[in-house]
Amino acid sequence: MEEETLNPLTSEQGNNDDQSMPDLPDQDLGSSDSYSDSDSGSEDGDDQAHQNLQLQTLEAKLSTNPANYDTHVQYVKILRQMADIEKLRQAREAMNQLFPLTPSMWQDWAKDDASLSTGSDAFLAIEKLYERGVFEYLSISLWRDFLDFVKENDPSIRECSPAGISKARDLFERALTAAGLHVSEGNKLWEAYRSFELAIFHTIDEKDNQAREKQIQRIRSLFHRQLSVPHVNMRSTLLDYKAWEVEQGNILDAGSSDLDGISFQVASAYKKALEMYDARVHLEEQICRQDMSDSERLQNFMNYLRFEQSSGDPARVQMLYERAITDFPISSYLWLDYTHYLDKTLKVGNVITNVYSRAVMNCPSVGELWVRYMLSLERGHASEKEIASVFEKSLLCTLTLDEYLDLYLTRVDSLRRRISCAIEGEHGLEYSLIRETFQNASDYLSAYLKNTDGLLRLHAYWARLELNLHKDQLAARGVWETLLKLCGSMLEAWQGYIAMETELGHVNEARALYRRCYSKRFLGTGSEDICHSWLRFEREFGSLDDFDHAVQKVTPRLEELELFKSQQESKLTEENPLKKNARDKRKQVSDVPNEQHPAKRQKDAAQKPKKAHGKDSEVMNSVEQTKVEKTKATGDQPDIENEQQIKKRGPEKRKANDEHLRQFFSDVGGVVAIRILHDKFTGKSRGLAYVDFSDDGHLVAAVAKNKQVLLGKKLSIARSDPKHGKKEHARGAESNNSAEASNAPRARQAQQSTYNRGSNNVQLRGKNTFATPRNILALGHSTNKPKTEEQDDEKPKSNDEFRNMFRKG
């Protein structure tokens, strides 16, 4: 370029060996940041129509997916080839709204605009482009282009006016602050700065000795500053300095690299800088190697960084971080490490805020960076508008649910602190901002975090602020009630609500919550814990009547839970053959009849009747389903007096189904309907079933098959009679002795919930009937007396009597 020889500032422009951005595997920057002048001027054989077609295709892709980095790169490249400068400028702006641009992209943009635009307005626009470019990444090449452009195009600098010279010096000092410590390339900026000052020296009138001497001291100071910083070619810089001093009339051995004739301070600083360079030269070689993988080079950077951190110079550490970021711009690990270091060393200031703004631009999908960014702004006493803007931007990024939750909570933390301790000069914030943030978080996250600790944490925090900060008890209760609708099966949600009411002294409200939740089913031992918690609560806060009422409510629930627990343990034992064999061995040793007194054996048999039936009786004891069922014969509907039911218990593991039972009673006939009971929560068969027969004759024949084998297991068959039932189960329906009364709505609801859980698709029709087993001996008892018709026709027992009988067994 011809203009490079206009002044000393560009005398080395042709020797531009600044490294470009390396290729990144997931963004392919290496193939996109090198669209140079040769690309725009080359003819690839495609005509204008083909370019327009490519342009339309890329525009369509960007309209559907504007966050596609590669598509943006190709779109800019095509527009640059077509020389559509206005559309090209818009495309670059749109891309930079989403992504930071590489140094070479900024260089191309500035050169393109400079080649087609003139005048003061164009100069200011291009100057802003360079400012944006040097902000995003560290690049010696971009800084030198920036310096050259300003020196060559700023009229005040060309005229060497005091204001222009001052502006140029300020820009050079900024460049040295940003990259002057760059070990391998920082010397280029120092040399450019000295060249500029030498050019100023030659413009000074030879008769103005005072001005010339002042400029000589300025150049000497630049030499001394450069010699105190570790760079490549330090000995060459020393020789240049000695040669320049000889030109000024000082007697030195310009051809020697020793320090003779140099002041003690300069020599001492040079020796220290040389030692620092020697200690870093091998680390510099490692990070500059191009024959290594990206992961290996990144690790070399981290090793270098740890070395610099141990040396204790924050400026050098930050410089090295900037170099690493330029080579690995989308490494979230590197950005997190960088910002963590700045948080620890700088705490506040524009430097750390600027780094965070670039970090979230390069890694927008890292929630931790957004959280730290907001905290950094708050430490720097940023305005509420600025913090809110960053928060809103973070919500537009693709993050995990936990990261979104952390962002919302961080935002609330900030608002709470600023409301509690208002910043001087800032208008007081309203509590409605906190409530709005909580509400937005709940609306967005509830569908995804249902029954999780995260949602519990969010609402517990919300309720606490409503109560303590806003002093609104009703609002706090509303938050807890909302949470219970979302996480009603979480014990911690109820405990938190109860704890709030208890701390406020609202005993009745807390008691009402216990009454609402003590019968619920919670994970683990939560169901037992809430029952015991209620009892402790009544002992500490309630009257004796309150305590007795709680005991009356809790005791049956605890018994039910203990029964369920024992059943689960029995199932686990049966599934483990080692435990089962050990149990059988114990039974063989302990159940020898001759070793026990007959009275003792009779007592044991009465207390432990289940052993006669093994696991089948254990399943029988788990009867908790309602016995209100709706049946109807396939043909003519029988009278209510002829409707009978058989209660049957079968092997669970073999999974007996309707067809098995129908075949089992095929020789009896008269089967109207079959209903297999299933567990409410697991959906598994409970080993119980109801079989309806059309009349008493078929029923008697079916009862006669008691103790016969189905699928390798004996069946216990008993007659059920609803007319003697005293009351229905807690999940069933109340009834009286009339058939019409059993058709109550509650009976229909119980029937519907039962069949929805069942795996069989039998549609039962007819009137509601109740299953009441016949009056039989408790399971486990046996008698040698043969059965008689009188025994078969004994008065049937009620449902409750039958259930209690099996529980005792």
Side-chain angles (χ1 to χ4, degrees):
M1 299 177 64
E2 293 77 12
E3 66 271 22
E4 291 178 356
T5 59
L6 289 176
N7 58 63
L9 202 66
T10 58
S11 60
E12 297 182 9
Q13 183 69 19
N15 187 22
N16 182 2
D17 55 354
D18 184 29
Q19 293 180 349
S20 61
M21 288 286 290
D23 292 350
L24 296 177
D26 52 346
Q27 287 190 339
D28 194 22
L29 294 178
S31 63
S32 60
D33 64 358
S34 59
Y35 45 88
S36 60
D37 294 337
S38 60
D39 295 330
S40 60
S42 63
E43 293 294 331
D44 56 2
D46 293 335
D47 55 11
Q48 189 70 24
H50 181 63
Q51 287 183 334
N52 290 334
L53 180 61
Q54 284 183 308
L55 209 61
Q56 293 175 3
T57 302
L58 293 172
E59 289 174 348
K61 289 182 179 180
L62 290 176
S63 63
T64 57
N65 184 15
N68 190 317
Y69 182 89
D70 292 331
T71 305
H72 277 286
V73 171
Q74 295 301 320
Y75 187 53
V76 169
K77 186 175 181 179
I78 293 295
L79 289 174
R80 196 162 188 256
Q81 292 174 353
M82 298 175 67
D84 190 342
I85 190 65
E86 189 60 34
K87 203 169 185 179
L88 176 61
R89 185 181 295 115
Q90 295 175 1
R92 282 166 165 161
E93 289 288 356
M95 182 178 181
N96 193 228
Q97 288 294 320
L98 300 173
F99 307 102
L101 305 183
T102 64
S104 61
M105 290 179 179
W106 285 111
Q107 288 173 305
D108 289 340
W109 190 350
K111 291 176 182 177
D112 290 343
D113 282 10
S115 64
L116 300 175
S117 304
T118 57
S120 59
D121 292 340
F123 169 78
L124 293 176
I126 298 170
E127 187 178 28
K128 289 181 179 179
L129 287 179
Y130 277 115
E131 291 282 3
R132 291 165 60 184
V134 296
F135 172 79
E136 291 192 343
Y137 294 117
L138 174 66
S139 170
I140 303 295
S141 175
L142 184 59
W143 266 111
R144 294 187 63 188
D145 282 358
F146 186 13
L147 294 167
D148 289 344
F149 172 78
V150 172
K151 190 193 75 66
E152 295 166 3
N153 295 277
D154 192 312
S156 62
I157 297 178
R158 285 203 310 264
E159 296 170 0
C160 293
S161 67
I165 293 174
S166 177
K167 177 181 178 180
R169 285 171 178 164
D170 290 342
L171 189 60
F172 273 112
E173 290 294 338
R174 284 181 54 199
L176 291 181
T177 301
L181 297 179
H182 197 300
V183 175
S184 61
E185 298 184 55
N187 62 315
K188 298 175 184 178
L189 295 177
W190 290 97
E191 292 167 2
Y193 196 179
R194 283 192 285 109
S195 297
F196 172 78
E197 295 294 354
L198 284 170
I200 297 299
F201 175 78
H202 292 304
T203 64
I204 300 175
D205 189 354
E206 294 182 357
K207 297 180 181 180
D208 192 351
N209 294 329
Q210 184 178 0
R212 289 176 68 87
E213 184 62 28
K214 185 177 180 180
Q215 187 64 18
I216 288 174
Q217 289 300 327
R218 189 182 298 277
I219 297 172
R220 182 176 287 119
S221 176
L222 276 176
F223 267 120
H224 291 174
R225 289 171 61 189
Q226 183 179 357
L227 289 172
S228 66
V229 178
H231 288 128
V232 295
N233 302 324
M234 289 190 64
R235 289 178 176 83
S236 176
T237 303
L238 178 62
L239 293 176
D240 291 342
Y241 169 59
K242 296 177 70 175
W244 179 80
E245 287 287 6
V246 170
E247 291 178 4
Q248 309 312 312
N250 297 316
I251 301 175
L252 293 173
D253 185 1
S256 174
S257 62
D258 57 40
L259 302 176
D260 295 339
I262 298 177
S263 66
F264 173 78
Q265 293 82 357
V266 175
S268 177
Y270 175 79
K271 288 180 180 179
K272 183 178 179 181
L274 190 59
E275 291 175 358
M276 293 175 64
Y277 174 76
D278 291 339
R280 290 163 174 77
V281 63
H282 71 286
L283 295 170
E284 286 287 333
E285 292 173 354
Q286 291 296 317
I287 64 173
C288 293
R289 289 179 57 182
Q290 299 298 322
D291 59 343
M292 305 177 69
S293 64
D294 286 343
S295 60
E296 291 174 328
R297 291 186 62 241
L298 179 58
Q299 184 59 50
N300 290 335
F301 264 112
M302 299 309 299
N303 295 337
Y304 197 171
L305 283 165
R306 299 299 173 253
F307 172 81
E308 288 291 5
Q309 289 171 1
S310 65
S311 300
D313 188 345
R316 301 198 64 82
V317 175
Q318 186 180 356
M319 165 58 59
L320 189 57
Y321 269 119
E322 290 293 341
R323 293 176 61 185
I325 289 300
T326 302
D327 282 1
F328 301 95
I330 59 172
S331 171
S332 59
Y333 171 79
L334 190 56
W335 281 110
L336 288 170
D337 196 64
Y338 186 11
T339 53
H340 177 73
Y341 174 79
L342 294 179
D343 284 334
K344 183 174 61 175
T345 55
L346 299 182
K347 297 293 185 182
V348 296
N350 291 332
V351 173
I352 188 171
T353 302
N354 291 340
V355 171
Y356 270 116
S357 66
R358 294 158 51 212
V360 296
M361 198 67 174
N362 283 274
C363 301
S365 297
V366 181
E368 186 177 354
L369 287 174
W370 288 102
V371 169
R372 290 188 188 179
Y373 189 7
M374 289 192 291
L375 293 176
S376 175
L377 290 172
E378 187 180 357
R379 292 190 192 99
H381 304 292
S383 65
E384 166 60 22
K385 182 178 180 180
E386 187 176 359
I387 297 177
S389 175
V390 172
F391 174 65
E392 294 297 333
K393 289 179 181 178
S394 69
L395 297 180
L396 300 177
C397 301
T398 304
L399 307 173
T400 66
L401 292 174
D402 289 338
E403 288 175 326
Y404 281 124
L405 176 62
D406 199 16
L407 282 171
Y408 277 111
L409 293 177
T410 302
R411 173 63 172 155
V412 172
D413 294 341
S414 176
L415 291 172
R416 176 187 59 79
R417 288 188 288 262
R418 295 165 82 91
I419 290 176
S420 302
C421 304
I423 299 176
E424 184 178 354
E426 183 176 31
H427 180 69
L429 300 177
E430 299 292 337
Y431 178 80
S432 58
L433 286 174
I434 290 182
R435 182 176 290 171
E436 180 183 356
T437 304
F438 272 124
Q439 188 62 59
N440 292 338
S442 179
D443 293 342
Y444 178 73
L445 298 175
S446 294
Y448 307 101
L449 298 179
K450 191 174 182 180
N451 292 319
T452 63
D453 292 336
L455 201 60
L456 172 63
R457 177 187 173 193
L458 177 72
H459 285 79
Y461 190 11
W462 186 2
R464 186 164 62 253
L465 292 187
E466 291 283 1
L467 183 65
N468 299 330
L469 188 60
H470 196 50
K471 310 299 181 181
D472 191 339
Q473 294 183 10
L474 292 178
R477 286 195 182 106
V479 172
W480 281 113
E481 290 293 343
T482 300
L483 178 63
L484 293 182
K485 294 178 181 179
L486 301 169
C487 306
S489 61
M490 289 188 66
L491 174 64
E492 295 82 358
W494 291 94
Q495 288 175 329
Y497 195 178
I498 293 171
M500 184 193 76
E501 297 289 3
T502 305
E503 291 173 2
L504 293 173
H506 299 162
V507 175
N508 292 332
E509 287 78 1
R511 180 179 294 116
L513 290 173
Y514 275 118
R515 289 174 178 172
R516 288 169 59 185
C517 69
Y518 83 95
S519 61
K520 289 185 174 293
R521 188 167 186 176
F522 300 108
L523 294 176
T525 60
S527 300
E528 293 92 335
D529 294 342
I530 199 64
C531 292
H532 293 303
S533 178
W534 187 8
L535 296 178
R536 287 194 300 271
F537 171 82
E538 296 297 355
R539 291 182 64 176
E540 297 175 6
F541 299 96
S543 64
L544 182 59
D545 290 340
D546 294 326
F547 179 76
D548 291 340
H549 178 75
V551 171
Q552 182 181 4
K553 291 288 187 181
V554 166
T555 301
R557 176 59 175 163
L558 290 175
E559 292 176 352
E560 179 184 4
L561 294 171
E562 183 63 27
L563 177 62
F564 179 78
K565 181 179 178 181
S566 63
Q567 292 168 1
Q568 297 301 315
E569 292 176 352
S570 299
K571 291 180 180 180
L572 292 176
T573 303
E574 292 168 4
E575 293 174 358
N576 191 330
L578 296 178
K579 292 183 178 180
K580 183 176 180 181
N581 293 338
R583 184 190 63 183
D584 293 342
K585 290 180 180 180
R586 289 195 298 271
K587 291 171 66 176
Q588 293 174 3
V589 174
S590 60
D591 294 344
V592 179
N594 294 334
E595 293 182 1
Q596 291 183 348
H597 192 274
K600 176 68 174 177
R601 291 198 302 271
Q602 183 177 0
K603 179 180 179 181
D604 291 343
Q607 292 179 351
K608 302 178 181 179
K610 290 190 291 185
K611 289 187 177 181
H613 292 271
K615 66 175 181 179
D616 297 341
S617 296
E618 294 170 8
V619 178
M620 179 71 81
N621 287 334
S622 66
V623 178
E624 296 180 1
Q625 284 290 78
T626 178
K627 295 183 175 63
V628 181
E629 305 294 347
K630 196 172 184 178
T631 61
K632 183 177 180 181
T634 305
D636 296 336
Q637 179 174 334
D639 295 336
I640 186 65
E641 292 81 1
N642 293 330
E643 288 184 353
Q644 304 295 339
Q645 293 181 330
I646 296 295
K647 184 173 184 180
K648 169 264 169 189
R649 195 227 149 275
E652 182 180 1
K653 280 190 175 183
R654 301 298 296 274
K655 297 182 180 179
N657 54 31
D658 293 2
E659 188 60 30
H660 292 138
L661 295 178
R662 197 172 297 277
Q663 292 179 1
F664 180 80
F665 291 112
S666 61
D667 56 338
V668 174
V671 175
V672 174
I674 298 174
R675 301 181 303 286
I676 298 177
L677 303 187
H678 297 79
D679 186 85
K680 176 181 179 181
F681 301 100
T682 64
K684 296 181 179 180
S685 173
R686 295 172 55 194
L688 300 172
Y690 290 101
V691 182
D692 295 350
F693 292 87
S694 58
D695 52 47
D696 287 336
H698 292 94
L699 173 63
V700 172
V703 172
K705 301 192 66 170
N706 185 33
K707 301 301 180 182
Q708 292 190 19
V709 177
L710 173 63
L711 299 178
K713 297 291 183 178
K714 288 185 179 181
L715 301 184
S716 296
I717 304 176
R719 175 178 176 175
S720 175
D721 190 347
K723 296 181 181 181
H724 296 279
K726 295 181 180 179
K727 62 180 181 178
E728 190 52 55
H729 190 267
R731 289 190 292 265
E734 297 178 0
S735 67
N736 55 24
N737 292 332
S738 66
E740 287 76 7
S742 65
N743 281 317
R746 291 181 60 188
R748 291 194 295 271
Q749 293 172 4
Q751 174 209 20
Q752 182 179 1
S753 63
T754 301
Y755 289 123
N756 287 341
R757 292 190 298 270
S759 60
N760 50 325
N761 298 321
V762 179
Q763 181 180 0
L764 304 181
R765 294 170 295 177
K767 299 183 181 295
N768 292 328
T769 58
F770 296 79
T772 306
R774 61 190 176 87
N775 188 13
I776 60 175
L777 293 174
L779 290 179
H781 283 279
S782 61
T783 177
N784 295 327
K785 296 181 180 180
K787 293 183 180 180
T788 63
E789 292 185 2
E790 291 184 7
Q791 290 176 334
D792 287 340
D793 294 334
E794 286 179 332
K795 181 179 179 180
K797 288 186 177 293
S798 68
N799 290 347
D800 285 24
E801 291 172 330
F802 179 78
R803 186 182 299 107
N804 293 333
M805 177 183 64
F806 276 97
R807 285 180 176 173
K808 292 178 181 179

